[in-house]
Amino acid sequence: MPLYLDNPHKCSYLDDLSAQFAYIHPDFSLNTDFYSQLISQGFRRSGDHAYKPYCTTCKKCIPARLAVQDFHPSRQQRRTLKKNADIEINIKPAKFEQAHYDLYQRYQLSRHTDGGMTNTTEENYINFLSSDWCNTLFIEFSCNNELAGLAVVDLLDNALSAVYTFFDPRFSARSLGVYAVLWQIDHAKSLGLEWLYLGYWIENCQKMSYKINYQPLQGLVDNQWRAIP
C-alpha cells in the first residue's frame, strides 16, 4: 500500500507542536471495503484522501471508537435526547445542496472564525465532506421544518464513522453535536453494526477530549485497541 508524507506543519489541536500525516497515495484505488480495514488501523478520511498521523515527537492523537451495542446514555445524554425528541431526521446521499452549504458557512463563521474553513468555496466544501469511493450519508436534523443541523456519516462494513457535524448557531441550546453522536450510536445499533468511529481523541484538547463521554470507548494505542480510560 503506497504512502506519502506531507510536510511538517503547525498542529491544529495542540499549541507549539508540529504535525505530519501519512496519506494513501492517490494512485491507489480505495473503496468502502478497503477503508473499513484502514479505519480499524487508525486511518481517517478527508474527501477522497485517507490519512493517519505520522508525528515523530508526539503520539497524542488516539484513534477512538465506541462499542455501540454496549453503550448506555448518561443522565445528561438522556436529557439531550429528551430535549430533541421533536427533531425530524432525513437521510440523504452526499450531494451538494445550497441549504447545506449555507448552514456550513454560518456554523464556521460562528464557531471557527480563526480557522481555515471559513468562506470556503462550494467546491472545497463538498470535496471535503464527500468522497467518490466511500458510502457517505448526509443526515439532516430539522426542527419545525427548518434545517437545524447536518451530520456527515460514512457507512462501513461493520461500523459507522462520524466525519463531521455542523449546525445553525441559533440552535446551540439544543446540544445538536451531542445529539448527532447519540443518533449515530442508535442508528448503528439498528443496523446491527459493532462500532462508531469518532475520529481522534486528544486528552489535552477540549474540542477533541469530549469523546471520553461516550463509553465504552476504545483507543488504538501501540496498534492495539484498548479501553479509554
Side-chain angles (χ1 to χ4, degrees):
M1 185 176 61
L3 300 173
Y4 74 93
L5 294 176
D6 67 358
N7 293 320
H9 53 275
K10 179 178 172 58
C11 181
S12 300
Y13 302 114
L14 298 173
D15 295 337
D16 302 322
L17 292 178
S18 63
Q20 192 172 22
F21 294 98
Y23 288 85
I24 305 295
H25 197 280
D27 291 341
F28 188 84
S29 296
L30 289 170
N31 56 45
T32 296
D33 290 341
F34 195 77
Y35 183 55
S36 297
Q37 300 177 47
L38 286 175
I39 201 169
S40 69
Q41 299 172 36
F43 281 84
R44 295 289 292 172
R45 176 186 74 78
S46 177
D48 284 329
H49 303 287
Y51 68 94
K52 68 185 301 185
Y54 200 84
C55 305
T56 57
T57 60
C58 176
K59 304 296 180 185
K60 295 184 183 298
C61 287
I62 306 296
R65 69 184 186 184
L66 175 73
V68 297
Q69 302 297 336
D70 297 326
F71 172 78
H72 299 285
S74 66
R75 180 180 299 178
Q76 185 61 46
Q77 289 163 349
R78 290 196 298 271
R79 291 196 190 102
T80 299
L81 289 170
K82 184 176 181 180
K83 184 191 307 182
N84 291 287
D86 61 333
I87 289 288
E88 301 169 0
I89 306 295
N90 193 16
I91 301 176
K92 291 187 170 183
K95 304 294 184 182
F96 179 86
E97 292 190 27
Q98 189 67 44
H100 297 166
Y101 173 71
D102 292 343
L103 176 67
Y104 178 84
Q105 290 286 69
R106 292 195 298 275
Y107 175 78
Q108 295 298 336
L109 289 170
S110 172
R111 292 297 184 99
H112 300 293
T113 55
D114 58 343
M117 302 173 76
T118 55
N119 299 316
T120 188
T121 66
E122 295 179 359
E123 182 180 13
N124 287 341
Y125 152 79
I126 198 64
N127 287 343
F128 163 54
L129 296 177
S130 65
S131 169
D132 291 335
W133 51 260
C134 195
N135 186 6
T136 302
L137 305 172
F138 283 0
I139 316 300
E140 290 182 342
F141 303 113
S142 298
C143 181
N144 296 322
N145 296 318
E146 184 176 5
L147 181 63
L150 190 138
V152 181
V153 182
D154 288 340
L155 176 58
L156 307 178
D157 290 350
N158 196 28
L160 293 181
S161 174
V163 178
Y164 201 77
T165 297
F166 52 97
F167 52 86
D168 194 309
R170 293 181 297 114
F171 293 90
S172 295
R174 283 181 171 266
S175 303
L176 287 177
V178 175
Y179 178 74
V181 175
L182 296 174
W183 183 88
Q184 289 170 72
I185 293 170
D186 187 64
H187 191 59
K189 283 184 179 181
S190 72
L191 296 175
L193 303 177
E194 189 172 2
W195 307 106
L196 172 62
Y197 285 89
L198 291 171
Y200 297 110
W201 173 72
I202 305 174
E203 184 176 9
N204 296 321
C205 175
Q206 185 176 1
K207 62 182 177 181
M208 302 293 277
S209 62
Y210 73 91
K211 299 166 188 180
I212 200 70
N213 297 323
Y214 303 93
Q215 292 290 338
L217 192 68
Q218 293 185 359
L220 186 63
V221 180
D222 297 329
N223 295 318
Q224 296 290 327
W225 286 101
R226 303 173 182 178
I228 301 175

